[in-house]
Amino acid sequence: MSWSMVMEHLFMVLLAVLFTIALGVPLGVCAYCFKPLRRVVLWSVEILQTIPAMALLGIIMVFLGAGKATVVIGLLLYALMPVVQNTCLGLTEVDPGVREVARGMGMMRFYRLLHVEMPIAIPYIFTGIRIAVVISVGVAVFATFVGGGGIGRAIYQAIRVHDVPTIISSTFTLMLMAIGLDTVMALAEKRLYSRFSPAEK
Amino acid sequence: MIRFEHVSKSYGGTLVLDDLSFEIAPGQLAVLIGPSGCGKTTTLKTINRLIETDKGDIYVNGRSIARLNKVELRCSIGYVIQQIGLFPHMTVEQNICVVPKLLKYSKERCQKITHEMLELVKMPYEEYAHKYPNQLSGGQQQRIGVLRALAASPPIVLMDEPFGALDPMTRLVLQEEVRRLQQKLNKTIVFVTHDMDEALTMADTVIFMEKGRIVQMASPDEMLRNPASDLICSFMGKRSLNNQHLPQTVADIMRDKVVTVTKDHGVRASVELMSRKNIDTLILTNADGSYAGVVSVDRIKRSGKGYKTVEPLMNRGYPFSYEDEDGQVAFDKLIDGGVNYVVVLRRDRTVAGIVTKTSMARSMAEAVWGNGE
Amino acid sequence: MTDFLEIYGRQIAQAAGTHLYYVLLSVAIAFAVSLTLGILLSRAPRWANIILPLLSLFQTVPGIVFIGLLFLAIGIVPATIIIALAIYAIFPILKNTYVGIIEVDESYREAAKGCGMSALQALIRVELPLALPAIISGLRMSLVYTVSWAVLAAMIGLGGLGDLIFAGISSNNNALILAGALPAALMAILCSLGIDLLRGILIPRPLRRDVL
């Protein structure tokens, strides 16, 4: 395992997660706003996550060929479910009383969504993103089979040359990466709240 | 029936039960009451050994419970808790039959018991037996909770603030019902509450506790007449005798916080409102706010299908009186009519409140002992 | 298309059979083990603060690691892949069983006790049924992930649908990739639907709470 493999892995994961957020949050909002769409959207992202990662990467590879683009898109699709689901869930969980008050004060739909519902849903969305990150770190191991490199390559090579210490150390690296990213997200979430918290007023 | 002999219990150095001795006679409804932390719930839970005592003995039917098998003991004592604790994954029938099943009764016998039990609270078997708890209103759930405790006909039933989570009106109805069941089935009931009205309405014997000791154990009458301590007085909300205001009109003895809706309220919305407020009856008004009648959740459930509004289901003949009438009028209607409450109207026929046995007892007591202000 | 099925049909069927065999056997083993372990662990709810993070941590270990290590330890036999997948599949079910049981509301436990149930009766009649939705969703996770990691059986020459995918990748044959990937996707979706069916049978309707 080399440093560059770790960075490669991290790069793919972070890029994919960025795309997942960029696509997943709006999708979740759409699913929440347009009820007829909700079932279709939620069902589609669930199916995407059900498809075995290797199969999904294989199918994408048919169109895009081997390489990092395939991996990033695969991870993006694979990690979509928790983000979309949690965004939609967080929005539906907003207390009907709060929603009514906001409407009663004469807020327009979009304004309400942006200033009342989204802020309340943020903790759910964060949870979704954290799950997406942890999933991506694990699934990115498959990258090596479609020419994307990363820590999966280290593990695969180690298995072929019977190098148990490398397998173990790679595993620890993966675990560390998952926990590390998760912790960073948790801290970011906390900071975000403290900016809104009444204690600062 | 139940005898405590020098029972003590402490948690980490603090004494919660302090050398407790008393006896509850068979067929009595004894209410344990007192401020929070007085040990009333602990006392209750030692009877079915959910809590073990440190010192002393408790005898049930002359036998020391410490020597009985815990499971057998609990099967022979019904238990009702405030959170109701109906198992959400079981139907009403399965919930009622939990203890009979533990006692390995036959299927037919269990079914028969369910029929009998639902009969007792006038909930038709066909309609309710196969429902799940979350399909019932709060009051109905706790009825089933009580039935579950009674199902294996235990001679003793323990109730831990069973109506604490219910709204006042449903609470009254259930108090009556439990009292009726207790007398009909001749059970010994130990009942914990922090509500003095509830204690005075229900009890044969009130046991007032403070700091793990009994301050006074007496009949409700006796306790009202000779409260043993200032704390009991303040619990009853009366301290001085110099309040000269005697209840004279209906308005003096009524409760004024009631839920009303117009009679064109939707059936479903009404049921939803009742289950949200945890009540069994709604008072209905005409569009101009004047009183129209009452409707009960049972009536809606029985024959509400096909109706849009509650109007056709309304009971127009329910007893009512005017607020400036003599209090005795409402009293007579309440007692003679065999109803749970009487609707009180203003002269312009708008709804002013309701008179219940508790509201009446409370205002009378206030008149006799003052309201402590 | 028909040509393709003529050439690869048998191969696909065989690979899918092997794949399914690995998945079902390993998940069955994992289910038995994790249910037992979950119940045992749930008797010590005080340790939840240690047990839960530990279980979550193990869930982050990729399946390839278990497969690789067991391959090095016992070689190329079907047991390698079955045990590796079973170990991987244990964690989701174990965690959900444990959480499901310890999150049963205390009032139900007290009611069960007050009704005179023994500890075992309370477990079987109250705690497990109430934990069932959580257990089943753990089972679904394990099943779906196991279908996914079983693709790597091909990596150590043990067949399954991965064979076709890997062969397709290394020979740049897109048809072959799809011949492995599509049935694998289908299998995972069917497994997931199967769990939904099971859930429908085991959990009474009023208790199914679809949040969305």
Side-chain angles (χ1 to χ4, degrees):
Chain A
M1 183 182 48
S2 68
W3 188 237
S4 69
M5 285 175 185
V6 178
M7 291 316 284
E8 215 171 19
H9 201 93
L10 196 62
F11 170 73
M12 289 186 290
V13 168
L14 289 181
L15 199 60
V17 168
L18 273 181
F19 283 131
T20 307
I21 298 171
L23 187 63
V25 174
L27 256 179
V29 173
C30 283
Y32 164 72
C33 289
F34 308 107
K35 266 208 167 148
L37 261 181
R38 198 177 292 180
R39 268 181 180 275
V40 182
V41 171
L42 293 177
W43 185 79
S44 316
V45 292
E46 205 181 322
I47 291 289
L48 277 176
Q49 214 212 351
T50 308
I51 297 175
M54 196 54 223
L56 190 64
L57 290 174
I59 294 168
I60 298 168
M61 203 177 113
V62 170
F63 298 101
L64 296 181
K68 290 204 172 48
T70 297
V71 177
V72 170
I73 290 182
L75 291 180
L76 150 70
L77 294 178
Y78 206 71
L80 215 45
M81 184 181 85
V83 176
V84 175
Q85 249 184 14
N86 278 40
T87 305
C88 190
L89 180 71
L91 289 170
T92 47
E93 294 276 285
V94 172
D95 182 1
V98 171
R99 214 176 285 150
E100 204 175 311
V101 167
R103 211 166 55 205
M105 291 193 296
M107 293 186 191
M108 297 303 287
R109 176 130 197 220
F110 183 70
Y111 189 85
R112 223 160 66 218
L113 186 72
L114 206 64
H115 291 271
V116 179
E117 292 167 350
M118 279 305 266
I120 295 178
I122 290 269
Y124 286 86
I125 300 176
F126 252 94
T127 311
I129 297 174
R130 282 168 68 176
I131 298 173
V133 169
V134 174
I135 291 179
S136 299
V137 172
V139 172
V141 168
F142 284 105
T144 178
F145 301 111
V146 290
I151 297 176
R153 185 149 145 237
I155 297 178
Y156 183 50
Q157 280 175 351
I159 291 174
R160 288 169 66 169
V161 299
H162 294 219
D163 179 1
V164 176
T166 303
I167 298 181
I168 306 271
S169 65
S170 305
T171 308
F172 272 116
T173 312
L174 279 172
M175 286 164 116
L176 264 179
M177 192 182 286
I179 300 166
L181 288 176
D182 194 52
T183 314
V184 170
M185 296 283 301
L187 288 177
E189 197 181 348
K190 241 188 193 157
R191 294 240 356 211
L192 197 69
Y193 293 155
S194 65
R195 273 182 44 200
F196 293 129
S197 76
E200 280 213 348
K201 273 187 194 164
Chain B
M1 195 72 182
I2 302 172
R3 196 166 81 243
F4 276 62
E5 278 184 7
H6 305 289
V7 172
S8 295
K9 168 82 188 171
S10 52
Y11 284 122
T14 33
L15 212 52
V16 278
L17 298 185
D18 186 2
D19 194 30
L20 218 53
S21 297
F22 63 90
E23 183 163 1
I24 298 169
Q28 286 232 311
L29 198 159
V31 173
L32 292 163
I33 189 168
S36 341
C38 69
K40 52 191 194 287
T41 297
T42 310
T43 308
L44 186 86
K45 288 184 179 176
T46 55
I47 300 175
N48 64 358
R49 287 181 63 191
L50 283 176
I51 294 177
E52 302 281 357
T53 56
D54 295 341
K55 258 185 254 154
D57 282 308
I58 300 169
Y59 296 88
V60 168
N61 258 339
R63 295 200 297 171
S64 165
I65 60 166
R67 269 177 246 123
L68 294 174
N69 176 303
K70 256 192 226 179
V71 168
E72 277 170 43
L73 175 76
R74 287 175 192 158
C75 282
S76 68
I77 298 179
Y79 186 47
V80 183
I81 58 178
Q82 180 180 353
Q83 307 88 327
I84 303 177
L86 287 183
F87 300 123
H89 60 293
M90 297 184 187
T91 60
V92 165
E93 173 154 31
Q94 287 168 329
N95 264 297
I96 292 178
C97 289
V98 166
V99 185
K101 247 192 188 153
L102 288 174
L103 296 172
K104 306 222 156 50
Y105 288 10
S106 71
K107 234 184 168 173
E108 295 77 43
R109 198 166 159 202
C110 286
Q111 206 178 26
K112 201 171 142 243
I113 289 175
T114 315
H115 273 280
E116 286 168 6
M117 286 292 138
L118 287 172
E119 181 74 16
L120 283 176
V121 294
K122 302 200 174 56
M123 291 168 75
Y125 179 88
E126 287 69 28
E127 192 178 337
Y128 290 106
H130 304 296
K131 287 204 164 147
Y132 286 89
N134 64 3
Q135 297 170 307
L136 305 177
S137 74
Q140 289 172 335
Q141 284 183 22
Q142 191 56 297
R143 278 193 186 94
I144 305 300
V146 172
L147 295 185
R148 177 172 69 181
L150 293 172
S153 29
I156 297 173
V157 179
L158 308 179
M159 300 191 166
D160 188 2
E161 298 201 30
F163 311 137
L166 303 176
D167 79 288
M169 229 203 261
T170 307
R171 192 175 231 220
L172 290 181
V173 176
L174 275 169
Q175 285 170 358
E176 289 288 317
E177 230 162 70
V178 164
R179 193 74 174 121
R180 185 171 55 80
L181 289 178
Q182 184 250 343
Q183 279 160 359
K184 183 170 170 186
L185 307 173
N186 195 27
K187 303 288 179 197
T188 307
I189 295 183
V190 186
F191 192 108
V192 167
T193 184
H194 57 256
D195 175 358
M196 193 46 124
D197 285 334
E198 189 163 79
L200 295 176
T201 330
M202 298 196 67
D204 295 309
T205 310
V206 180
I207 302 172
F208 194 100
M209 293 182 68
E210 190 190 354
K211 294 183 188 145
R213 290 164 171 275
I214 295 180
V215 184
Q216 187 176 19
M217 178 167 171
S219 69
D221 266 0
E222 171 68 15
M223 196 165 281
L224 281 169
R225 226 175 298 133
N226 297 314
S229 77
D230 288 347
L231 183 69
I232 297 179
C233 284
S234 73
F235 241 73
M236 294 195 287
K238 302 107 204 163
R239 222 172 284 137
S240 66
L241 282 168
N242 44 21
N243 188 327
Q244 292 304 311
H245 182 72
L246 291 171
Q248 283 162 345
T249 64
V250 175
D252 291 329
I253 57 173
M254 75 180 185
R255 222 190 48 221
D256 54 4
K257 286 193 186 86
V258 291
V259 182
T260 64
V261 296
T262 53
K263 65 182 180 187
D264 59 353
H265 209 63
V267 167
R268 291 185 56 179
S270 302
V271 173
E272 195 266 340
L273 178 67
M274 282 190 254
S275 89
R276 189 149 41 82
K277 299 251 173 184
N278 258 328
I279 53 180
D280 290 346
T281 322
L282 275 182
I283 296 173
L284 305 177
T285 61
N286 297 313
D288 60 358
S290 62
Y291 169 70
V294 300
V295 67
S296 68
V297 74
D298 287 341
R299 172 110 171 104
I300 295 180
K301 293 247 155 106
R302 226 171 322 113
S303 38
K305 281 218 181 71
Y307 293 113
K308 266 218 166 70
T309 73
V310 288
E311 186 171 5
L313 302 164
M314 177 169 76
N315 178 355
R316 293 164 199 276
Y318 209 79
F320 67 88
S321 57
Y322 291 101
E323 60 176 353
D324 55 354
E325 281 183 295
D326 197 282
Q328 180 137 25
V329 176
F331 179 83
D332 290 344
K333 281 179 178 160
L334 184 64
I335 302 303
D336 301 341
V339 289
N340 293 316
Y341 60 92
V342 171
V343 183
V344 182
L345 305 182
R346 302 190 186 93
R347 278 295 166 187
D348 61 0
R349 295 206 39 105
T350 54
V351 177
I354 58 170
V355 173
T356 64
K357 286 177 187 163
T358 314
S359 75
M360 191 171 306
R362 187 204 301 262
S363 49
M364 299 210 171
E366 269 173 18
V368 179
W369 296 285
N371 57 15
E373 279 160 39
Chain C
M1 188 67 199
T2 40
D3 280 358
F4 179 80
L5 276 183
E6 232 164 76
I7 305 168
Y8 294 115
R10 257 188 62 124
Q11 210 184 335
I12 294 175
Q14 204 173 25
T18 314
H19 205 96
L20 195 62
Y21 164 73
Y22 289 154
V23 169
L24 291 184
L25 190 56
S26 54
V27 172
I29 295 170
F31 186 70
V33 172
S34 48
L35 201 63
T36 318
L37 270 179
I39 291 169
L40 289 178
L41 284 182
S42 74
R43 301 301 95 180
R46 258 176 247 167
W47 294 2
N49 285 337
I50 304 166
I51 292 172
L52 278 177
L54 219 57
L55 289 179
S56 309
L57 190 65
F58 274 107
Q59 260 182 291
T60 62
V61 179
I64 188 177
V65 172
F66 296 120
I67 298 173
L69 287 178
L70 270 156
F71 159 69
L72 298 184
I74 45 182
I76 306 174
V77 284
T80 303
I81 195 81
I82 289 167
I83 298 173
L85 291 180
I87 295 175
Y88 182 79
I90 279 176
F91 297 106
I93 311 178
L94 177 55
K95 186 180 170 194
N96 278 32
T97 306
Y98 179 69
V99 173
I101 295 179
I102 61 172
E103 280 190 350
V104 168
D105 196 287
E106 203 47 49
S107 70
Y108 298 133
R109 260 191 216 113
E110 192 181 320
K113 235 181 183 182
C115 282
M117 290 190 195
S118 66
L120 186 67
Q121 282 167 328
L123 176 71
I124 294 172
R125 292 191 190 183
V126 177
E127 289 172 282
L128 279 180
L130 287 175
L132 199 58
I135 297 174
I136 290 179
S137 70
L139 183 62
R140 160 191 272 129
M141 239 190 276
S142 287
L143 198 54
V144 167
Y145 287 162
T146 308
V147 174
S148 177
W149 288 108
V151 169
L152 292 192
M155 177 185 81
I156 54 170
L158 283 168
L161 288 165
D163 253 359
L164 300 163
I165 302 177
F166 284 120
I169 290 173
S170 59
S171 63
N172 236 329
N173 180 344
N174 284 346
L176 208 50
I177 296 180
L178 292 181
L182 294 180
L186 192 66
M187 187 182 290
I189 292 168
L190 287 180
C191 281
S192 175
L193 289 178
I195 296 284
D196 280 339
L197 205 67
L198 186 72
R199 202 172 75 116
I201 295 168
L202 291 180
I203 301 172
R205 184 166 288 279
L207 297 188
R208 268 177 257 152
R209 253 184 309 155
D210 288 320
V211 252
L212 289 172

